[in-house]
Amino acid sequence: MEKQAAGIRKIFFRLLIFCLFINTHFFLYAKNPSWLELSKLKFHKGEEYFFTGTDCPFYIDIPDVKPENVQLNVNKLPDSVSFISSKKEVLMPRYNVDGTLLTPGGTHLVMYLKFEVAGRHRIPYVHMIMNGYYMTPAIGTVEVFENPRFMLPSIEIKFFDSESNEINVRKNQIRLKETEHLNFTIYIKYAVQLNVFTWDLPENSLFNEIKSFEEMNNVNKNKNTNFNPSPIPIATFDWQVLKKGTYELPKFYITATTYNGFDYDLEIPSYRIIVDSLNLKANPADEEKIKNLFSYAFTEPLSAQNYTEEIKCTEQDLQALLSFYHDEINSFPLFNKSYKKRIELEKKLGLTQGKSKASKPFLYILITITVITLSVSIILFCVKRKIVAFIVLVFAAVSLVFTGIQMNKVLTETALYKGGAINSIPEKNITSGVRIKEGSCVVVLKKVGDWCYIRCNDTSGWIEKENLIMIK
């Protein structure tokens, strides 16, 4: 009886497993979708943006059809589009929380195409056989962008009148009246990060930045390298020209990081601003208002008593600063008078007063103290004076930390800036628009050939070695 019962249990479990297997596969593939249902299927983009020279995925989900019953045949594509490969996967069914079917199982097919030219491409359909039905699922129009690795940032400008209405600019020319307000917003495209954004004030004008946008600041903060084809606003300016004539937009200095990691200097588009004179045959109140406005803009030059000309740093001043720095480095801090003399000269020249330089003799003293204390602690451990040895060892460790800090300061290369262009990359004629005052002390972070990458306060860039005087 026991053997018979055991046999019955085996048969029961086998039947149960078989029923579950049949039930699952029946649920996945038992349905035969109609021709009408299959004809409604179409391909979808596998990524948000497609780029030239890359494998661009398109996918289609075919319900209730096994992968072996699906065939893909790509016969004809546009000249600049090529078929790369395809793959088929089992599409598992998905259920809601309550157990109801959300999407049926079937086949997930992915097709990869490559585009050689940027732009909008129309791919009408591809040939497929699904469960014996001949189908031509559509792909439609696809927008393909240039590969970001080869794209350079660009600048766009939109102009608005005093009532915030966008101005339709023709032939890059705008006509205004004297004292009329012109607002414009600067946008940047295809940039990962904005590094430099400054401008020169135009003549005969009132020029103000009225809004700074957070979009580019958020990109800088998050260091977001995701592709964005839309222009990102940087700032909006209000420009009021007070004298008739023909003008160009103010000079802007803009440096941005490209998608391939290089810094790139941008130029704004060229526009002609033609300012016509006002009709002064107005009522007395308007005429007086215009007069007051012009008198505010065009004031008399400052007298010699109130005007202080910027003092230039001469070669003699550079040599004096170099001598003071040399004395600071090679003398003890407590007996160093060169520091005060250097500070006075930097104040006279209008330079930022630098900190006291690290002293080499003080470093030698710290090294000597560290070596002596370490040696003494080893000797005390050998003679089993552990408590005293531990105290001396702690003192040696503290001395070692200070020695490391002082050594790092001494080994940091510094130089005096003689003047010249500061470049965003170590190449000539690619200036960043950033300026550092002659005679400033800069930190040399890197050397590449005849170029040095320097930092001065919050400013950094590449400078030719001939424009630096190394401090030793």
Side-chain angles (χ1 to χ4, degrees), residues 23-203:
N23 180 62
T24 302
H25 282 68
F26 177 82
F27 187 76
L28 280 173
Y29 304 116
K31 295 181 180 179
N32 286 320
S34 65
W35 180 89
L36 183 61
E37 291 175 334
L38 293 176
S39 65
K40 295 179 181 179
L41 299 177
K42 63 179 182 179
F43 278 90
H44 302 276
K45 293 174 59 176
E47 295 176 354
E48 185 177 4
Y49 301 109
F50 285 162
F51 306 106
T52 57
T54 62
D55 294 347
C56 304
F58 297 84
Y59 73 91
I60 184 172
D61 291 333
I62 309 169
D64 303 317
V65 178
K66 297 180 181 180
E68 56 264 29
N69 294 333
V70 176
Q71 296 179 19
L72 174 67
N73 186 13
V74 183
N75 289 329
K76 188 175 182 181
L77 292 171
D79 295 337
S80 58
V81 184
S82 57
F83 172 76
I84 303 302
S85 64
S86 66
K87 65 178 181 179
K88 295 181 289 185
E89 299 173 346
V90 175
L91 181 65
M92 300 302 296
R94 292 193 302 163
Y95 300 92
N96 288 318
V97 179
D98 57 1
T100 59
L101 182 65
L102 183 62
T103 56
T107 300
H108 177 75
L109 185 143
V110 183
M111 174 182 63
Y112 294 93
L113 302 179
K114 180 178 288 187
F115 300 85
E116 301 299 332
V117 180
R120 297 178 69 86
H121 299 264
R122 178 167 177 76
I123 305 174
Y125 55 83
V126 295
H127 303 278
M128 294 185 66
I129 297 178
M130 310 175 191
N131 262 10
Y133 293 114
Y134 174 75
M135 296 292 168
T136 55
I139 296 179
T141 302
V142 180
E143 185 172 7
V144 180
F145 297 92
E146 194 69 43
N147 196 313
R149 292 180 301 169
F150 310 112
M151 296 176 70
L152 295 176
S154 61
I155 294 293
E156 295 181 4
I157 300 179
K158 292 183 179 180
F159 294 90
F160 305 90
D161 58 21
S162 56
E163 297 180 357
S164 300
N165 298 316
E166 186 172 352
I167 300 175
N168 186 17
V169 181
R170 295 182 180 180
K171 297 182 179 179
N172 288 18
Q173 182 172 297
I174 300 175
R175 188 173 291 273
L176 302 172
K177 293 287 187 181
E178 288 177 327
T179 74
E180 186 178 351
H181 289 264
L182 175 65
N183 296 338
F184 61 91
T185 301
I186 297 181
Y187 296 81
I188 190 169
K189 290 180 68 176
Y190 310 136
V192 175
Q193 184 172 345
L194 183 65
N195 302 323
V196 177
F197 184 67
T198 58
W199 58 89
D200 293 336
L201 293 176
E203 297 180 350

Side-chain angles (χ1 to χ4, degrees), residues 77 79 150 165 179 181 264 275 289 298 303 394 427:
L77 292 171
D79 295 337
F150 310 112
N165 298 316
T179 74
H181 289 264
Y264 181 73
V275 180
K289 182 178 179 181
F298 303 104
S303 63
V394 170
E427 292 183 12

Side-chain angles (χ1 to χ4, degrees), residues 9 42 47 69 116 260 300 315 331 353 359 435:
R9 283 196 295 270
K42 63 179 182 179
E47 295 176 354
N69 294 333
E116 301 299 332
N260 58 6
E300 290 295 327
E315 184 66 28
S331 60
Q353 286 80 54
S359 170
R435 296 289 181 267

